[in-house]
Amino acid sequence: MADITPRQRVLMSLNHQEPDRAPMDLGGINNTAMHLKIETALKEHLGFEGGEPEIRATNQLVTVGDERILEHFGSDTRSIYFEEDRPWQEVDQGIYQDQWGLQYKINPDGNYYNFCGHPLSRASSVEEIKAYRFPDPRAEVRVAGLKERAESYGGRYCLVLEGMREPIFGTPSWLRGHTQFYMDLVGNKPMVDALLDSVLEFYLELTDFLLERLGPYLDVVKVGDDLGTQNNLIISPAMYREFIKPRQKILYEHIKGKGDFKLLLHSCGAIRSIIPDLIEIGVDALNPVQTTAGGMDPVELKREFGRDITFWGGGIDTQHVLPFESPDAVAREVKKNLEIFKPSGGYVFAQIHNLMPDVPLENIFAMYQAYRDHAAY
């Protein structure tokens, strides 16, 4: 096959064609990224001096990715990561507040932040929900410098819009607090509808603004909504189809109506039962493909859904193998999963979630060496 660009490689696979090799994503989204501590260690190991780390997902402390590391490992993607409309502010000792009014404090291990305050947790009426002041969807700071960044890549890489954390399921549950939101789903439909519709309206306007400014440069729009636990969905399929799916459909169709974009959904956990729903509403690719979760056997996923959706991830287990097994075991799992996922395209290689501080550097190098050894068609 004639030489193809990283961008062409990803787009071919997203269109269920076989390029020269299965494409690879490191840091194109904030779920295939490096923790700050991993990026720092890799830079030191590889002899890369200078360069300030760039963090947009403050709660996760993962980086957008040092360009030298992305080049070293051969990532085919680059992240076009928009900003929040204002930076985090410390509102009490060790407690920080984001653009939504959500509050966080650092986990005891210092590796990420946990929620500790939810601005709508005490709301008791639809009127209070409607009175909530949303962030500014059209704040210029959101896109500052991103047009120039996109142009600097010269069309070489697959560019992914990142920053819509969890528009339809996650955001409402964070604003309300998880327990209260799940209770609302069961017993307070007016509150749920008011909150979900308000959140949807915000994201539709945000999408308009972002795609007006950045659309010509983008190949993939990534959205999140974690719907699974280790063993099952967080809510029942029936509840998902009543409350979440219709609004996801509106948002996804709105995004895809703005240009020739592929839509990538990040949803952790055991979500096999709703993959047909996701395909139906326009999801082109699914991340992280958590193969250790219930019902997420990679062979069955590829056989059942591989013609209709691209699997973006699933390359190696980040719960048990990548942090704790030997480099040889890492290489074996990468080889096995590539052999399962890559036939007929529809696959982008990535580890199942971010590279966290408990992952030894030798295992990271073993993972990418095994990828290089077995990714070719």
Side-chain angles (χ1 to χ4, degrees):
M1 181 178 291
D3 288 345
I4 63 174
T5 66
R7 176 176 182 266
Q8 290 169 329
R9 184 174 296 121
V10 178
L11 293 180
M12 286 182 68
S13 199
L14 285 166
N15 287 318
H16 298 269
Q17 302 167 353
E18 292 186 354
D20 55 344
R21 60 172 170 81
M24 185 267 281
D25 171 33
L26 171 60
I29 62 175
N30 71 351
N31 315 102
T32 61
M34 297 171 281
H35 191 277
L36 173 62
K37 292 180 180 179
I38 289 290
E39 179 174 296
T40 301
L42 282 171
K43 285 169 64 177
E44 181 178 348
H45 182 88
L46 294 168
F48 297 154
E49 297 182 357
E52 280 294 312
E54 183 178 355
I55 295 177
R56 298 284 175 99
T58 309
N59 60 316
Q60 299 184 77
L61 291 177
V62 296
T63 66
V64 172
D66 187 290
E67 183 66 24
R68 295 165 295 181
I69 295 175
L70 305 185
E71 281 286 342
H72 179 83
F73 289 119
S75 179
D76 294 301
T77 62
R78 294 296 186 271
S79 180
I80 305 299
Y81 204 135
F82 67 88
E83 283 276 18
E84 297 190 349
D85 79 345
R86 67 186 76 103
W88 281 24
Q89 296 179 329
E90 190 169 14
V91 294
D92 199 353
Q93 187 171 2
I95 296 178
Y96 297 87
Q97 184 166 294
D98 71 4
Q99 64 175 350
W100 297 94
L102 293 162
Q103 295 183 349
Y104 306 81
K105 59 183 177 182
I106 195 74
N107 198 61
D109 63 10
N111 289 336
Y112 55 88
Y113 286 84
N114 296 309
F115 291 118
C116 65
H118 308 271
L120 291 175
S121 61
R122 296 184 179 180
S124 59
S125 68
V126 169
E127 289 69 30
E128 288 178 86
I129 297 295
K130 292 182 176 180
Y132 168 75
R133 184 177 178 183
F134 279 78
D136 181 358
R138 291 183 170 268
E140 287 293 330
V141 69
R142 292 189 182 279
V143 296
L146 292 184
K147 177 176 179 287
E148 294 76 12
R149 168 174 285 188
E151 289 176 340
S152 75
Y153 294 127
R156 177 169 175 76
Y157 300 103
C158 175
L159 301 189
V160 185
L161 181 68
E162 174 60 276
M164 283 194 279
R165 289 169 63 189
E166 297 198 27
I168 305 301
F169 185 68
T171 297
S173 70
W174 303 336
L175 293 174
R176 195 81 168 105
H178 294 90
T179 300
Q180 186 60 59
F181 180 65
Y182 301 152
M183 290 171 63
D184 291 343
L185 286 168
V186 173
N188 197 338
K189 189 175 187 298
M191 289 281 280
V192 173
D193 285 338
L195 181 55
L196 290 178
D197 288 343
S198 296
V199 169
L200 174 60
E201 182 179 349
F202 167 81
Y203 276 106
L204 291 172
E205 186 169 356
L206 176 64
T207 296
D208 285 343
F209 173 70
L210 295 171
L211 297 183
E212 286 165 10
R213 299 302 185 90
L214 302 171
Y217 306 100
L218 301 172
D219 301 298
V220 176
V221 176
K222 179 253 182 173
V223 297
D225 263 323
D226 281 331
L227 291 156
T229 69
Q230 189 70 35
N231 298 309
N232 216 322
L233 292 178
I234 295 174
I235 58 177
S236 70
M239 190 172 284
Y240 164 75
R241 290 171 187 138
E242 179 181 359
F243 290 104
I244 307 304
K245 178 181 174 180
R247 294 170 172 96
Q248 285 182 324
K249 184 175 187 290
I250 292 170
L251 178 62
Y252 300 171
E253 288 181 349
H254 189 75
I255 290 169
K256 297 178 81 169
K258 295 288 180 179
D260 187 20
F261 310 118
K262 298 293 187 181
L263 194 134
L264 167 61
L265 173 68
H266 168 83
S267 187
C268 288
I271 61 168
R272 181 174 176 172
S273 62
I274 62 167
I275 290 178
D277 298 272
L278 301 177
I279 294 168
E280 177 191 328
I281 62 177
V283 173
D284 297 296
L286 182 64
N287 169 269
V289 197
Q290 191 176 335
T291 58
T292 56
M296 297 291 285
D297 176 78
V299 173
E300 295 177 1
L301 290 176
K302 183 70 175 182
R303 181 179 64 241
E304 193 168 346
F305 306 113
R307 290 183 297 275
D308 300 311
I309 200 166
T310 292
F311 294 108
W312 189 304
I316 186 167
D317 169 24
T318 48
Q319 288 177 288
H320 309 101
V321 178
L322 192 59
F324 304 120
E325 296 290 343
S326 68
D328 285 345
V330 167
R332 287 193 298 272
E333 176 151 325
V334 169
K335 177 178 183 291
K336 178 192 73 173
N337 287 333
L338 277 167
E339 289 174 348
I340 292 168
F341 281 120
K342 76 178 189 181
S344 301
Y347 185 59
V348 177
F349 176 84
Q351 72 280 353
I352 288 176
H353 218 291
N354 292 322
L355 298 174
M356 296 299 287
D358 58 355
V359 178
L361 292 190
E362 56 265 31
N363 283 7
I364 295 174
F365 286 101
M367 173 177 66
Y368 289 122
Q369 183 59 55
Y371 162 77
R372 287 189 290 272
D373 290 343
H374 304 290
Y377 283 101

